[in-house]
Amino acid sequence: MLPLLLLLLPAARGTDVVGPEPTLAKDPPLEGVTTTSTFVLDQPRCVFENYSNAVVWLVVSMDKDAFNNSLIPGTPEIAFQKFPDKASAYMTLNVTLDSYPCPKAPGDITVLRVGSETSCAMDETRPTCNGPLPGPGPYWVKFLALEDSKPVAETNWSMPIVLRTAKPASSLSTGSGQSAGMIAITTILSILFAILLAGLVAMLVFCGSDSCGSSTFSKPESVTVRRYNTHHVYDQPSARL
């Protein structure tokens, strides 16, 4: 009886909970840690170092209590293309521990952007696609280590992650100081442009008459040149003797 209990003990032990829970990236500070369809996490460095043969997956869920660690990645039950309508979670970003060396080298940016792949979002042959997230959330995430498709270790679930939402055009306020200043500048420029345009039109109308830009040229008087006969010797009759 005792040997049988010893055989059943590892199976009953369950999945080890390790390391800190996933968090949004903070070091170094990054722009766009959350967008309307993505968010950035710190990599799980020095978390699964005791599971050298494991493959580490990221689990993204909108109902963390409904996720079962026994689900196999890539199956329809947890396919990205079915999330969240027909699947409460999906698994993505699977890597071996070689991708998460411990400790990290100085200067390394050790983050993961969740939701960055657009090419496979509608491709059902890529159920583990890291596709854009479908809404603001909230989302919960955790890292899960599998050996031969069996869970061996996991982190706790993260705190709820809420994405940014795009503001509709109708909600944009025009009463702020900056907006009022822009309206005033636009009004002044419009008035100046109208004055300039009116001046140009008036100049064109005025110059259309003979009094603008024209010169009266009088016909020069003709010069009469008298014809003079030069003194020359005419043949005269011989002097009378």
Side-chain angles (χ1 to χ4, degrees):
M1 187 68 178
L2 182 60
L4 180 60
L5 292 176
L6 292 176
L7 290 174
L8 294 176
L9 182 60
R13 185 184 63 178
T15 306
D16 296 334
V17 178
V18 297
E21 64 191 32
T23 58
L24 293 175
K26 297 179 181 178
D27 186 24
L30 300 174
E31 294 290 337
V33 172
T34 58
T35 67
T36 57
S37 61
T38 68
F39 58 87
V40 181
L41 297 174
D42 284 324
Q43 293 180 358
R45 297 293 182 102
C46 305
V47 174
F48 298 100
E49 64 270 19
N50 294 329
Y51 306 89
S52 57
N53 296 324
V55 176
V56 180
W57 291 80
L58 177 70
V59 182
V60 182
S61 178
M62 294 187 74
D63 185 3
K64 59 186 179 65
D65 295 328
F67 180 75
N68 188 336
N69 283 350
S70 63
L71 294 173
I72 299 176
T75 56
E77 292 83 1
I78 50 173
F80 169 80
Q81 290 76 16
K82 296 183 181 297
F83 178 79
D85 296 333
K86 297 182 179 179
S88 61
Y90 66 96
M91 299 174 68
T92 187
L93 295 175
N94 56 307
V95 296
T96 62
L97 288 184
D98 293 338
S99 299
Y100 297 144
C102 177
K104 70 176 184 178
D108 282 356
I109 299 177
T110 56
V111 297
L112 300 171
R113 182 169 289 277
V114 181
S116 61
E117 293 184 71
T118 58
S119 59
C120 58
M122 304 299 293
D123 186 359
E124 293 189 356
T125 64
R126 295 276 308 279
T128 61
C129 174
N130 181 29
L133 295 162
Y139 300 95
W140 286 264
V141 297
K142 71 176 181 178
F143 291 103
L144 178 64
L146 304 181
E147 290 183 356
D148 298 327
S149 299
K150 296 179 180 180
V152 292
E154 65 178 341
T155 66
N156 286 316
W157 289 100
S158 68
M159 296 296 290
I161 299 173
V162 179
L163 303 186
R164 297 183 181 182
T165 55
K167 293 183 178 180
S170 58
S171 67
L172 297 178
S173 174
T174 58
S176 64
Q178 183 178 2
S179 299
M182 292 299 296
I183 293 174
I185 293 175
T186 303
T187 303
I188 293 172
L189 291 177
S190 300
I191 294 173
L192 291 177
F193 179 76
I195 294 173
L196 178 61
L197 183 62
L200 290 174
V201 172
M203 185 179 68
L204 291 175
V205 172
F206 181 73
C207 290
S209 62
D210 293 338
S211 60
C212 177
S214 62
S215 299
T216 303
F217 296 95
S218 59
K219 184 177 181 182
E221 296 181 358
S222 59
V223 179
T224 302
V225 179
R226 291 186 177 182
R227 184 175 181 181
Y228 293 91
N229 290 328
T230 59
H231 292 280
H232 53 275
V233 181
Y234 290 95
D235 291 337
Q236 296 181 4
S238 300
R240 294 180 180 178
L241 297 177

